[in-house]
Amino acid sequence: MYLRSFSSITAAGLFLSFITSFGFAAPTHGNNSHGNKGHPRDGDGPLKVAVIGAGAGGSSAAFFLGKAKERFGRNIKIDVFERNSYIGGRSTIVHPYNDPSIEPRELGASIFVQGNKNLVRAASEFGLTLYSGEGTGMGLWDGSNFIVKLVGEPTDTDLVAKYGLDSLVKVDNAVASFSAQVDRCYRPDLFSWKKVENLSTAMGVNYAVSKTGAKWFDSLGVNPAYSREFIEGVTRVNYGQNIDQIHGIGAATSLAGTSALYSVTGGNRKIFQEYVARSGAKVHLDTRVVALVKTKINGKTKWRLTTKSNGSPKDIDCGLYDYVILAAPKGLSGIQFINSNANFPPVHYVKIHVTFVSTTSPFPKRSFFKQGSSGDIGFGTVLTTTDGFRKGGSLPDFNSIGQYGTVQRNGRTEYIYKTFSLERRSDAWLEKLYGKGTLGWIYRKEWDAYPYLVPTTTYPPVKPDDGLFYVNSLEPWTSTMETETISGRNAVDLLLKEAYNVGLCYGNNNVPEWSESETETKVYGWDC
């Protein structure tokens, strides 16, 4: 969550974004003490922690472990293992024409919002430059017709006229009821959760996550046309799933709104690169973890980690670790667990085809959409709904199309477009969309992009076994860059409490209350 893409679909306060996360706690408040720095664990040699995966979750886990080292003087040795050649996981980039002088485009996780305090704080502290995309208008395509067009300066009136003010207000209120809880994740009154079920219950969202978005919005009295058409367009671009498939939390995550959408100049993965660099961890790129063997030494659980370097036929014994933080989808990792009772319920991922293309055509052609024989549609973002297909019409053969700026090439302006689809789109298809002879650079990527957010009330374990924490346990509940950083922080908090009886900031009985002004500026984990 990770192919968030289009910053141009704004109307009625609905923007494509990453909702932050929801937390819960009922702590005992006390003095502003960091606890006893002299826990017995400190005298036992370095605490060895392996972090598997260097995406948003793994890099943030390494970073917050580094914060604990800095804050408490902990003797922690951190090793980060990443199967790819880069840090960032599903947040990665591509340069048009493979030209490093051209500003890169995001292949994966594309945007975040002001409320994503971990990402925004990181960008600020690391001196990274943020930018916001410019809108180029939007149309909603049902396979036969454009049933919504938002061009020029779209206002609430455009959607009110079609779907009714009452429905827009009900949806906005429902999303706001989630967002009202967001800041609890960043305050000291949030304590780490040991089960995602506990988190969901504490937030009062079990009903929403147990129903499809369609049924949830129906229960709120929302106009079915609004949820099946417009909101489905948003869930299809955010998660590649229809409103009658995705659960209510997934739909709400897609709709969580703000007027400020951000990306990092040069790629969002710069945040995660900085996370790892500032953690003090030893990084092993191009290194695939193939096995974790649970063992007991003097009554204490240890994990023996075996890796294979890309291009090498030999397995490498990396030794024993006190703790392992798994920050990669278990079902996609290929890791074998030996002597372990760890149980990971299957989580299936949406395969999305991403197609970048440069074209001299400013907008897609009207003829592609059977809207006329000449000219273009006049806007750069097309979302889709399958509601027409459900009623016996045509099925759209793509999820979304969006314009991503321009490049100058051979003295001419080329427009960069990004298409999401469930199947590979051919060069002939692209020529039909933009016009014969208009295409330049083409780049394709297939992703296991994000989990199917099916209605559920059960989740993978946060702690599948002794000394093992699973960051991706939160993904079936909601999947974004920001929530992965929060889940990574949560794993670190649990680990530190187990090893030292004091978490990332405080023990259980010495948590201060922040003033209202402090909650506006401080972020739990970064600040204490």
Side-chain angles (χ1 to χ4, degrees):
M1 281 258 302
Y2 287 98
L3 303 179
R4 310 297 187 276
S5 61
F6 301 112
S7 59
S8 59
I9 67 162
T10 64
L14 300 180
F15 299 86
L16 299 187
S17 60
F18 296 94
I19 197 169
T20 47
S21 178
F22 308 111
F24 67 92
T28 302
H29 296 284
N31 58 53
N32 190 8
S33 167
H34 287 318
N36 178 14
K37 295 184 180 181
H39 278 290
R41 187 68 191 80
D42 289 326
D44 295 343
L47 185 76
K48 295 185 64 179
V49 182
V51 178
I52 303 174
S59 65
S60 62
F63 176 76
F64 286 117
L65 282 168
K67 278 288 186 183
K69 291 173 61 176
E70 172 189 321
R71 188 169 290 140
F72 297 115
R74 299 296 189 207
N75 188 7
I76 304 174
K77 182 181 183 297
I78 311 166
D79 283 329
V80 175
F81 297 89
E82 170 56 54
R83 68 191 301 169
N84 294 311
S85 61
Y86 62 89
I87 291 169
R90 286 170 281 180
S91 179
T92 187
I93 59 173
V94 60
H95 291 272
Y97 289 101
N98 199 30
D99 184 346
S101 69
I102 300 178
E103 187 68 22
R105 268 59 177 182
E106 295 282 356
L107 265 174
S110 298
I111 60 172
F112 53 96
V113 301
Q114 186 65 41
N116 294 162
K117 292 188 176 181
N118 281 337
L119 297 177
V120 171
R121 176 69 173 268
S124 175
E125 294 221 356
F126 302 160
L128 303 176
T129 302
L130 301 180
Y131 71 92
S132 297
E134 296 182 359
T136 57
M138 186 275 285
L140 179 64
W141 174 250
D142 72 353
S144 300
N145 298 290
F146 283 107
I147 57 176
V148 172
K149 290 183 181 180
L150 300 175
V151 296
E153 293 294 331
T155 67
D156 292 349
T157 305
D158 297 294
L159 296 181
V160 169
K162 184 171 180 61
Y163 299 115
L165 177 62
D166 183 61
S167 288
L168 270 66
V169 169
K170 286 176 178 177
V171 170
D172 284 351
N173 287 343
V175 175
S177 72
F178 293 114
S179 300
Q181 301 294 331
V182 165
D183 276 350
R184 294 178 64 191
C185 293
Y186 308 107
R187 300 176 183 177
D189 62 350
L190 168 68
F191 267 69
S192 44
W193 61 88
K194 296 182 179 180
K195 292 183 177 181
V196 178
E197 289 87 346
N198 295 347
L199 173 66
S200 187
T201 298
M203 294 307 304
V205 297
N206 281 341
Y207 180 82
V209 80
S210 70
K211 303 296 181 183
T212 65
K215 290 184 177 179
W216 181 53
F217 286 123
D218 286 350
S219 73
L220 299 176
V222 174
N223 181 347
Y226 186 38
S227 61
R228 272 71 168 180
E229 294 177 358
F230 191 84
I231 297 177
E232 180 169 277
V234 179
T235 63
R236 281 170 62 81
V237 64
N238 266 344
Y239 289 113
Q241 294 160 69
N242 299 335
I243 197 67
D244 56 359
Q245 298 170 325
I246 194 170
H247 59 52
I249 290 294
T253 300
S254 298
L255 290 170
T258 178
S259 58
L261 301 169
Y262 298 121
S263 297
V264 174
T265 300
N268 292 328
R269 70 179 185 178
K270 285 187 172 183
I271 291 178
F272 310 126
Q273 291 169 343
E274 290 288 342
Y275 270 160
V276 173
R278 294 165 188 259
S279 72
K282 183 177 181 180
V283 182
H284 308 263
L285 298 179
D286 286 313
T287 302
R288 181 166 56 91
V289 177
V290 295
L292 286 168
V293 182
K294 181 183 176 183
T295 186
K296 290 279 189 179
I297 296 179
N298 297 325
K300 295 182 179 180
T301 296
K302 305 282 185 179
W303 290 91
R304 182 171 296 280
L305 190 147
T306 302
T307 66
K308 186 186 292 289
S309 296
N310 291 343
S312 172
K314 295 182 179 180
D315 290 349
I316 301 170
D317 182 356
C318 295
L320 295 170
Y321 289 86
D322 299 292
Y323 289 96
V324 173
I325 296 176
L326 178 58
K330 166 59 176 64
L332 304 178
S333 70
I335 299 173
Q336 182 181 8
F337 285 81
I338 301 171
N339 300 332
S340 171
N341 60 3
N343 179 36
F344 298 87
V347 175
H348 302 289
Y349 282 73
V350 180
K351 288 189 179 295
I352 283 288
H353 290 261
V354 183
T355 306
F356 269 110
V357 63
S358 68
T359 173
T360 55
S361 178
F363 301 114
K365 297 300 181 184
R366 288 170 53 85
S367 57
F368 179 90
F369 299 97
K370 298 180 176 59
Q371 302 292 298
S373 59
S374 63
D376 57 48
I377 60 176
F379 43 85
T381 295
V382 180
L383 304 186
T384 59
T385 172
T386 62
D387 197 49
F389 177 73
R390 286 189 288 262
K391 296 174 180 177
S394 300
L395 181 68
D397 57 356
F398 64 96
N399 284 28
S400 56
I401 298 168
Q403 191 185 110
Y404 271 70
T406 62
V407 298
Q408 297 300 315
R409 191 78 175 176
N410 299 324
R412 66 181 188 179
T413 299
E414 296 184 5
Y415 301 83
I416 303 295
Y417 275 89
K418 182 180 184 181
T419 298
F420 294 153
S421 58
L422 297 180
E423 296 180 353
R424 186 183 187 276
R425 301 283 66 127
S426 67
D427 289 5
W429 187 90
L430 294 170
E431 283 199 330
K432 185 178 178 183
L433 179 61
Y434 298 108
K436 192 171 183 179
T438 69
L439 305 184
W441 168 70
I442 299 174
Y443 184 93
R444 295 180 176 87
K445 173 74 175 181
E446 181 182 353
W447 286 99
D448 288 306
Y450 21 65
Y452 281 102
L453 298 178
V454 297
T456 187
T457 55
T458 60
Y459 306 90
V462 175
K463 187 180 179 185
D465 206 342
D466 293 339
L468 175 65
F469 296 94
Y470 187 38
V471 172
N472 293 68
S473 60
L474 191 61
E475 272 204 302
W477 193 74
T478 188
S479 178
T480 71
M481 288 189 291
E482 180 72 9
T483 50
E484 285 298 286
T485 68
I486 293 174
S487 190
R489 187 199 69 190
N490 176 61
V492 169
D493 212 36
L494 292 174
L495 184 157
L496 294 172
K497 287 175 181 177
E498 187 172 299
Y500 299 105
N501 296 327
V502 174
L504 185 57
C505 277
Y506 310 100
N508 288 326
N509 296 312
N510 54 7
V511 181
E513 293 187 15
W514 288 353
S515 67
E516 184 174 345
S517 62
E518 285 179 311
T519 61
E520 293 296 320
T521 58
K522 289 186 174 182
V523 180
Y524 179 75
W526 293 82
D527 309 299
C528 289

